Amino acid sequence: MIKNKTKPNNILVVGDLHEPFCLDSYLQFNVNLYNKYNCNEVIFIGDIIDGHAWNYHESNPDGLSVGDEVSFSIKRLQRWYKAFPKATILFGNHDLLVARKIKTAGLSEKFMKPLKDILAAPKTWDFKHDYVKNNVIYLHGSTGDAIKRARDSRLSTVQGHLHSKSFIEYSVSIKDKIFGMNVGCGIDKDLYAFEYGKPMAKKPIIGSGLVLDNGRLPIIELANL
């Protein structure tokens, strides 16, 4: 029997980074996954920056200033640009804070540079609100989890946003089979930007997702911390 020699589309889905507050080890973890599963595409699920200094919540007065946090984020992201020179990046709620602040100030978005330019990202980094590939939709998520979204749309869904939730769940109807996957994150919970989470019993799940074989096989890998 002749085997199909066409290489399947294998996607690595990187969880929330929240730079400059991402674990140092999270980058190599994802590089290893990309190679282990013979991936040929990378999607960052959103919140690649944190924006602690310009958030709508109280910021740490002893933390980085707005300018210093932006500069440090750019410096930290250089490692990701080098490791994954071509990628799809989905806007997360933290990534969109600058645009929200512009509106709060009553200014037109014409005064704002695109996030891609602010972060000095490569031209081959493609920023989107959502992305559909092989009948799977990838988005950051804002309300609910991935399986709820998948059931509502009847479209397999991969999302981030919920740091303490990571799972794969299927929904099967008489006409289709879909899945929802929350991929985890790469944040360093011990840094000041995440002090809000210290009283919580649930802690961040450090991991990433993979969607292999042209959208048919979702996998979650957790980091060995």
Side-chain angles (χ1 to χ4, degrees):
M1 181 176 180
I2 298 174
K3 294 183 179 180
N4 185 355
K5 295 183 179 180
T6 302
K7 185 177 181 181
N9 181 226
N10 291 341
I11 299 175
L12 168 67
V13 186
V14 180
D16 298 23
L17 300 184
H18 286 266
E19 289 289 17
F21 307 111
C22 183
L23 287 162
D24 289 337
S25 58
Y26 192 56
L27 172 60
Q28 189 59 52
F29 169 73
N30 280 282
V31 170
N32 292 345
L33 289 182
Y34 185 90
N35 293 327
K36 175 182 176 181
Y37 289 97
N38 296 313
C39 295
N40 46 26
E41 189 170 351
V42 180
I43 298 173
F44 287 79
I45 208 65
D47 283 353
I48 62 171
I49 57 170
D50 186 77
H52 177 84
W54 58 91
N55 208 318
Y56 281 92
H57 303 295
E58 290 183 349
S59 58
N60 190 324
D62 297 317
L64 295 167
S65 69
V66 173
D68 286 342
E69 186 173 331
V70 172
S71 296
F72 195 25
S73 297
I74 294 171
K75 181 179 179 180
R76 297 269 299 172
L77 284 168
Q78 296 298 320
R79 307 175 311 138
W80 293 94
Y81 300 159
K82 183 177 180 180
F84 301 110
K86 184 178 181 180
T88 298
I89 296 79
L90 305 178
F91 289 111
N93 54 301
H94 284 253
D95 303 320
L96 295 171
L97 277 171
V98 176
R100 287 183 61 199
K101 287 283 186 174
I102 287 284
K103 288 183 178 179
T104 298
L107 298 175
S108 168
E109 290 187 2
K110 294 177 182 178
F111 288 102
M112 186 183 74
K113 291 198 300 184
L115 182 63
K116 182 174 185 174
D117 295 342
I118 294 173
L119 299 179
K123 292 181 179 179
T124 46
W125 271 39
D126 190 12
F127 287 73
K128 300 174 177 289
H129 287 278
D130 55 57
Y131 177 57
V132 178
K133 186 71 175 285
N134 295 320
N135 295 315
V136 180
I137 186 169
Y138 301 82
L139 70 166
H140 180 66
S142 56
T143 58
D145 57 29
I147 190 60
K148 181 182 184 302
R149 172 100 184 199
R151 288 195 187 108
D152 289 344
S153 64
R154 298 313 300 174
L155 186 65
S156 291
T157 301
V158 179
Q159 75 167 60
H161 186 60
L162 302 173
H163 298 165
S164 60
K165 185 174 284 191
S166 182
F167 66 83
I168 297 168
E169 184 175 337
Y170 283 88
S171 174
V172 179
S173 75
I174 196 169
K175 64 177 182 178
D176 62 7
K177 177 180 73 175
I178 59 172
F179 65 84
M181 177 165 70
N182 272 76
V183 300
C185 64
I187 68 173
D188 187 343
K189 66 179 177 58
D190 295 323
L191 297 180
Y192 70 84
F194 308 110
E195 287 178 352
Y196 63 86
K198 288 184 178 179
M200 300 177 185
K202 291 182 178 180
K203 301 304 177 187
I205 298 174
I206 309 303
S208 295
L210 300 116
V211 181
L212 311 179
D213 193 21
N214 301 314
R216 286 187 284 267
L217 177 59
I219 294 174
I220 287 174
E221 285 265 11
L222 302 185
N224 185 20
L225 299 177

